Amino acid sequence: MDSERLSQMQPENTQLYRCMILECHAQYLHVLTDRGDHLRIRTLPNHKVGDTICILEEDIIKDRVNSVSRKPIILKNGIRILSALAAIFLIMVLVNFSMSTIAYAVISLDINPSIELKLNKSGEVIRANSFNPESALLLSKLSLKGQAYEKAIDDILNQALLLGYTIDQHSVLFAVAPVKTRTDDMINAIEKNLSVYTERLNAEVRIGDQLSYQNEKNRDISLGRNLISNEHPDIDEDDLKHMKIGDIFKTIEKNDALEHENDDAEDADD
């Protein structure tokens, strides 16, 4: 209010309110008093949001903007915020779920039963496949989905022992291949973690690529046997599919020895 009108008021008849302007509207100003009350007052010229003013009782529009009348506005804004947060949360859940169910790498484990583990980006098992009745029986006794691949491999080896399979030197074959691109770090980490089995069991570890994984799918043999087939085409494919891992390694050693003997013989003839 203007100072001229204030000076004309008698002190005993004057009820002053010290306020801050919160909103400016064409028909009224929304103010907050120093007592914490929200009021509507008549529009005063030359004022803006944030100004501190003094008003009289006669300036107040009869309907007060109290806390009750503001609740719907606050509630409406709150609902919008909660809806936005819920949408963000849902998107995050869907993205994480999608990532957790997509295969990024595959590990095959041959201990005569041939088993394939498909892994998500976190290295957790999303699917375990069998290639023969022996591996199907073994998998029926385990629950591998959602486990880290290290734990899944240990469970498979322990269950194989319980079923009477011999796990000793040159009786275990691992193979790893990417399913998605840009998984080099993941494949390298898996290969490094599998080194414990090469030290403990003298296991063989083969590393393939996406093409070798596709070939394995088409040939219905494990990734490891498929990679050995590519490395040693002299081994009959049907034998390779049904031979024990230990026998495969013995065949490879025997063929390598014969090859060296033939090379030595040729050198001697020369």
Side-chain angles (χ1 to χ4, degrees), residues 62-232:
K62 62 178 181 178
D63 295 328
R64 294 183 172 224
V65 187
N66 53 34
S67 58
V68 175
S69 65
R70 289 183 57 82
K71 280 184 179 179
I73 299 175
I74 297 172
L75 181 59
K76 184 177 181 181
N77 292 334
I79 291 174
R80 288 177 178 174
I81 293 172
L82 289 175
S83 298
L85 291 175
I88 293 171
F89 176 76
L90 180 60
I91 291 172
M92 292 176 64
V93 169
L94 291 176
V95 169
N96 289 333
F97 177 77
S98 176
M99 291 178 62
S100 68
T101 57
I102 295 175
Y104 280 77
V106 61
I107 300 177
S108 73
L109 170 57
D110 286 278
I111 43 177
N112 300 329
S114 296
I115 293 171
E116 175 188 83
L117 302 177
K118 289 187 177 180
L119 312 179
N120 62 19
K121 195 172 185 179
S122 301
E124 298 168 338
V125 177
I126 59 174
R127 193 176 304 113
N129 297 328
S130 61
F131 288 92
N132 45 37
E134 294 88 348
S135 57
L137 174 62
L138 191 152
L139 288 178
S140 70
K141 299 180 179 299
L142 297 173
S143 179
L144 303 178
K145 189 173 181 179
Q147 287 190 6
Y149 70 86
E150 300 96 331
K151 175 68 165 54
I153 290 172
D154 285 342
D155 286 353
I156 291 170
L157 293 175
N158 290 332
Q159 186 60 49
L161 288 172
L162 291 174
L163 291 175
Y165 291 98
T166 300
I167 298 178
D168 53 16
Q169 300 293 306
H170 288 296
S171 66
V172 180
L173 170 63
F174 290 101
V176 185
V179 177
K180 295 285 187 181
T181 57
R182 300 180 182 178
T183 55
D184 291 347
D185 291 343
M186 182 178 185
I187 299 301
N188 292 336
I190 294 173
E191 182 181 11
K192 182 179 179 180
N193 289 337
L194 291 178
S195 63
V196 65
Y197 300 103
T198 62
E199 298 169 0
R200 186 191 310 167
L201 301 173
N202 203 14
E204 293 281 342
V205 177
R206 298 287 195 277
I207 304 299
D209 54 22
Q210 284 183 284
L211 180 59
S212 58
Y213 168 67
Q214 292 299 325
N215 289 339
E216 170 240 337
K217 288 171 59 179
N218 296 333
R219 295 176 64 180
D220 194 32
I221 61 173
S222 70
L223 176 64
R225 292 176 188 264
N226 181 64
L227 292 175
I228 287 180
S229 177
N230 294 336
E231 296 172 6
H232 302 276

Side-chain angles (χ1 to χ4, degrees), residues 20-38:
M20 175 181 288
I21 299 176
L22 300 181
E23 297 173 319
C24 293
H25 299 276
Q27 303 299 324
Y28 66 91
L29 300 180
H30 171 199
V31 299
L32 176 65
T33 72
D34 53 4
R35 301 175 184 176
D37 293 325
H38 289 269

